[in-house]
């Protein structure tokens, strides 16, 4: 007993240790799952935030460049719209004034415009035929003189172009009259140091970040300010971004992962100048804050998970002790209830078997009851036939007596005797039928008695009385069978006598003595028939009485079985 208790205690300790270990492992797995489930989307969102920051840097530079270009375009428009100079140019185009007059007026006005803006380095005006009228400040190379705005635009941007080692921007602006008719154009040369500062300002793009401004000329990407930036750092991915931005697209793209330096590139179009802007940054530097934050978050989650697991183990230890005790009690209760359930199941199966046996016995009894009723009915029919046979036999006896008395008148009554013999033959046939019916009833009764005996044996002690009744019924059935056999023998004798009598009647010429002897034999035979009929009547009455008693006994058995079935 002590060894059993010690074994149970060791099993309980092992179960407790397993529960604690599995719980700790489950908590760690759950913590890892939560960490993965939370860090993965957090990492994606943080990466998206850094990418949005890169896109925002590209958008801010785009706005600054567009503001610079819009200001240059506005200055060029203001210069082209000065009324006096415009009227002088229109008059010159129409031949109303000489060239020196328009040059003098235009020079004064353009010089004033040049002095008012620090960014303007030179202005050149052309007439409607494209011929230069006047030039102020730095000279614009002749290769750019034919630049004209197209597509309904009033201005066009050329450059930046490099002149004497300095980059400039050329803005071409149409000069129109009050009706919108083109009467000339201006080329304004702008200093682009401010634009360079915008491009060279790497704030917000890290150490590896770079801002690239360019355009597409003759299917090739042209990068501005190449003297400032290292052309070797311009990758094919950057050129692709410039091409897409010049085509009017904006977005974010990744360089090929197989490249030497994987990059993330944000690009935006400079729509008013047909330029493109790209802001690139190495992927490692761009996502470095994300990686650090994810690492810190993972460490924090791991620490919290370990602390939570340790606390859970401390809390679960007393709970596991209670759980083990309750488990033992529950296991004992389950065993007890299982044993009780097995006993109840066995009792229920036994009861079901008994119920099926009772139902089968009840069904057999009902069939036996119906058979006994049929036997009783058949006995009544047989009794009626025996009575008719007795009546016929009595009539035959009387006929024989009359034959003995009227032997002297035998020859006159031969035909009457022949008629009576025919009746006697018909009665003998009916008696044979009745005897066959009695034999069949005896066989059926014998079979029913045998079935009743079998059912009595199956019923056990309750069927002993019914077994005695079944035995008596079998005896009566055997006696009925024997009586029927005797009747058949007597009927054969009667038939033989009838045949002989018929021959004697047909030979009516035989002697009276022979006929007298035959009549005496017939009388004797009829006496035997009457005796046999009396015996058959007695047997039939006994069978009817036994059948009635059998029906009563069967009714009592059926009632007893119903009572047993109801009590169950």
């Amino acid at each position: 007993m002590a060894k059993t208790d010690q074994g149970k205690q060791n099993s309980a300790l092992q179960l407790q240790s397993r529960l604690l270990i599995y719980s700790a492992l489950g908590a760690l797995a759950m913590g890892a799952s939560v960490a993965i489930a939370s860090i993965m989307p957090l990492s994606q969102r943080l990466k998206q935030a850094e990418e949005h920051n890169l896109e925002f840097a590209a958008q801010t530079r785009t706005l600054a460049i567009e503001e610079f270009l819009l200001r240059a375009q506005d200055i060029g428009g203001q210069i082209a719209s000065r009324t006096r100079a415009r009227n002088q140019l229109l008059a010159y185009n129409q031949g109303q004034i000489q060239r020196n007059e328009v040059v003098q007026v235009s020079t004064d006005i353009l010089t004033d415009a040049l002095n008012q803006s620090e960014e303007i380095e030179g202005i050149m005006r052309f007439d409607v035929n494209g011929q230069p009228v006047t030039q102020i400040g730095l000279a614009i190379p002749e290769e750019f003189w034919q630049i004209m705005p197209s597509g309904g635009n009033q201005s066009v941007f050329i450059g930046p172009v490099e002149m004497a080692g300095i980059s400039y921007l050329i803005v071409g602006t149409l000069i129109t009259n009050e009706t919108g008719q083109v009467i000339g154009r201006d080329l304004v040369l702008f200093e682009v140091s401010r634009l360079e500062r915008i491009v060279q300002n790497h704030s917000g793009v890290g150490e590896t970040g770079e801002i690239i401004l360019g355009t597409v000329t003759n299917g090739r990407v042209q990068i501005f300010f190449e003297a400032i930036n290292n052309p070797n750092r311009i990758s094919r991915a950057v050129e692709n971004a410039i091409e897409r931005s010049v085509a009017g697209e904006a977005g974010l793209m990744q360089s090929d992962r197989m490249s030497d330096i994987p990059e993330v590139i944000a690009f935006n179009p400079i729509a008013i100048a047909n330029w493109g802007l790209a802001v690139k940054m190495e992927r490692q530097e761009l996502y470095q804050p994300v990686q650090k934050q994810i690492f810190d978050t993972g460490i924090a989650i791991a620490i919290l998970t370990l602390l939570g697991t340790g606390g859970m183990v401390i809390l679960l230890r007393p709970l596991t002790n209670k759980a083990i005790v309750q488990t033992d009690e529950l296991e004992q209760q389950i065993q007890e209830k299982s044993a009780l359930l097995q006993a109840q199941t066995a009792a229920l199966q036994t009861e079901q078997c008994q119920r099926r046996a009772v139902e089968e016995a009840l069904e057999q009894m009902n069939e036996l009851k119906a058979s006994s009723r049929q036997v009783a009915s058949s006995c009544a029919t047989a009794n009626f036939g025996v009575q008719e046979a007795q009546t016929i036999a009595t009539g035959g006896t009387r006929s024989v007596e009359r034959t003995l008395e009227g032997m002297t008148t035998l020859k006159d009554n031969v035909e009457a005797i022949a008629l009576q013999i025919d009746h006697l033959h018909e009665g003998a046939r009916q008696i044979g039928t009745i005897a066959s019916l009695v034999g069949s009833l005896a066989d059926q009764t014998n079979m029913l008695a045998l079935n009743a005996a079998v059912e009595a044996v199956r019923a056990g002690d309750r069927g002993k009385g019914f077994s005695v009744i079944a035995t008596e019924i079998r005896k009566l059935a055997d006696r009925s069978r024997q009586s029927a056999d005797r009747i058949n023998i007597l009927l054969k004798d009667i038939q033989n006598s009838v045949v002989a009598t018929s021959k004697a009647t047909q030979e009516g010429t035989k002697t009276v003595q022979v006929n007298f002897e035959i009549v005496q034999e017939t009388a004797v035979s009829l006496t035997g028939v009457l005796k046999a009929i009396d015996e058959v009547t007695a047997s039939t009455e006994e069978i009817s009485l036994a059948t009635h008693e059998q029906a009563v006994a069967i009714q009592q058995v059926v009632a007893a079985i119903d009572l047993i079935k109801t009590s169950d």
Side-chain angles (χ1 to χ4, degrees), residues 251-411:
L252 191 77
M253 62 181 295
Q254 304 273 348
S255 65
D256 189 1
R257 294 184 178 273
M258 300 301 295
S259 61
D260 296 337
I261 303 177
E263 298 172 334
V264 181
I265 305 169
F267 55 92
N268 268 316
I270 310 297
I272 61 175
N274 198 26
W275 293 353
L277 177 71
V279 179
K280 72 181 184 69
M281 192 172 179
E282 291 184 8
R283 185 182 292 116
Q284 182 177 0
E285 183 182 7
L286 179 64
Y287 297 142
Q288 185 176 3
V290 175
Q291 295 173 355
K292 183 178 183 304
Q293 191 168 357
I294 293 299
F295 178 78
D296 295 341
T297 304
I299 293 298
I301 293 175
I303 293 173
L304 292 175
T305 302
L306 292 175
L307 292 176
T309 302
M312 185 185 67
V313 171
I314 294 173
L315 293 175
L316 283 178
R317 185 178 294 275
L319 294 177
T320 52
N321 290 329
K322 294 182 180 179
I324 291 171
V325 173
Q326 292 179 357
T327 302
D328 293 337
E329 295 177 354
L330 182 61
E331 183 178 2
Q332 185 178 1
Q333 293 177 1
I334 290 174
Q335 291 177 354
E336 294 176 355
K337 290 183 178 180
S338 177
L340 180 61
L341 182 60
Q342 290 178 356
Q344 291 178 352
T345 303
L348 182 60
Q349 291 176 351
T350 303
E351 183 181 354
Q352 289 178 350
C353 293
Q354 293 177 354
R355 186 179 296 276
R356 285 195 296 269
V358 169
E359 289 177 353
E360 292 177 357
L362 182 60
E363 184 178 356
Q364 294 292 332
M365 289 301 158
N366 288 328
E367 294 178 356
L368 186 59
K369 182 178 179 182
S371 299
S372 65
R373 290 178 180 176
Q374 185 176 3
V375 170
S377 177
S378 300
C379 288
T381 305
N383 191 16
F384 179 74
V386 168
Q387 289 177 1
E388 288 184 354
Q390 188 175 10
T391 302
I392 294 172
T394 301
T397 302
R398 291 176 182 176
S399 297
V400 171
E401 290 177 355
R402 287 195 301 269
T403 302
L404 289 174
E405 292 175 357
M407 185 63 67
T408 56
T409 60
L410 179 61
K411 190 176 283 188

Side-chain angles (χ1 to χ4, degrees), residues 161-203:
V161 297
E162 187 174 341
M163 297 170 53
I166 301 175
S167 296
Y168 296 94
L169 177 66
I170 301 175
V171 179
T173 305
L174 295 178
I175 304 172
T176 58
N177 59 13
E178 295 177 354
T179 61
Q181 183 180 3
V182 177
I183 60 175
R185 59 190 173 88
D186 286 340
L187 294 181
V188 182
L189 189 66
F190 285 88
E191 188 265 332
V192 292
S193 58
R194 180 165 171 251
L195 182 61
E196 288 184 272
R197 288 194 298 271
I198 294 173
V199 174
Q200 292 174 358
N201 184 7
H202 290 178
S203 60

